[in-house]
Amino acid sequence: GSYPDATQWVEGSTALESLERTMHVRSVLNDAFNETEAAPGDTPSGDILPTDPMSTDTTRTDGGERPAAGPRIHPTAIVHPDAVIGADVEIGPWVIVGERCTVGDGCVLAPRVTLERNVTLGRQVKVGIGSVLGGDPQDLKFRGEETWVEIGDGTTIREFVTINRGTAQSQRTTVGRGSFIMSYVHLGHDCHVGDGVILSNGVQLAG
């Protein structure tokens, strides 16, 4: 993982799943090492290279791809049962992922990130320490409508950013693909930021 105490991370959502994956990896490695002795430098065709199971290297000896790793969730994180967590996701210490949140493949949630509710992160989104996404809109007209925050693929959100959900006006607050949202930015309800946008430190966009 990218954070301290990586040895405390667990792979997958339950201890049983983690144990099953560990046993499978051991079986694969045992089979590989018990094959007929190969010439130096050779590896049995089609087997996964015997590397760290937590590695993000997806290379196989036959040139194919091995299955993506499961999510790595720190034991102090709280993930709602309704949340959908993709492959190769890192969820750091004291992160909260609320109800009806989706975290796409390859996302990284740094320590103390909060996804309050109704947040959709695309693939490879990075969210910095202490950021809060999906909070209620700060609008006196808001009456609890079902609204969302949506973040596009490859966007980076740095430390202590706040992005509130939309209101009945547009139902969502959005950031496009490949954008860079720097520290302390605030995006109010119903803001719509396009693809490839850079917002510098401390920018405040009202709803």
Side-chain angles (χ1 to χ4, degrees):
S2 301
Y3 307 111
D5 301 321
T7 55
Q8 297 181 22
W9 288 61
V10 294
E11 183 175 3
S13 57
T14 69
L16 179 58
E17 290 173 352
S18 180
L19 178 60
E20 289 174 346
R21 289 190 182 93
T22 300
M23 296 303 292
H24 173 69
V25 169
R26 287 180 177 173
S27 175
V28 170
L29 296 183
N30 286 338
D31 290 345
F33 287 119
N34 288 334
E35 293 268 355
T36 303
E37 185 174 354
D42 287 348
T43 310
S45 177
D47 287 338
I48 297 172
L49 289 169
T51 54
D52 179 1
M54 295 293 286
S55 171
T56 57
D57 179 13
T58 59
T59 304
R60 294 172 57 105
T61 60
D62 61 358
E65 294 287 317
R66 73 179 183 186
R72 297 176 293 283
I73 303 173
H74 194 275
T76 60
I78 299 173
V79 179
H80 194 278
D82 289 346
V84 177
I85 309 298
D88 277 336
V89 169
E90 295 185 13
I91 297 180
W94 302 291
V95 168
I96 298 174
V97 179
E99 59 184 329
R100 291 189 292 280
C101 289
T102 298
V103 181
D105 294 348
C107 288
V108 177
L109 305 184
R112 301 186 187 279
V113 164
T114 297
L115 308 183
E116 287 200 21
R117 59 180 298 184
N118 295 13
V119 176
T120 299
L121 303 183
R123 297 168 57 104
Q124 304 291 331
V125 173
K126 297 180 180 179
V127 185
I129 293 172
S131 291
V132 180
L133 281 59
D136 287 349
Q138 298 175 126
D139 186 339
L140 295 177
K141 299 186 299 297
F142 182 64
R143 294 293 181 267
E145 296 89 353
E146 196 76 359
T147 59
W148 298 82
V149 165
E150 298 176 354
I151 309 296
D153 296 348
T155 285
T156 296
I157 298 170
R158 292 297 298 266
E159 299 82 7
F160 304 106
V161 169
T162 53
I163 304 178
N164 292 344
R165 300 194 318 276
T167 66
Q169 177 182 349
S170 72
Q171 303 296 326
R172 64 196 71 241
T173 302
T174 62
V175 177
R177 298 181 177 184
S179 291
F180 187 20
I181 311 300
M182 297 187 187
S183 301
Y184 298 102
V185 167
H186 172 71
L187 300 183
H189 61 84
D190 303 294
C191 284
H192 302 290
V193 177
D195 296 341
V197 173
I198 298 174
L199 295 181
S200 188
N201 298 306
V203 168
Q204 309 286 289
L205 299 184

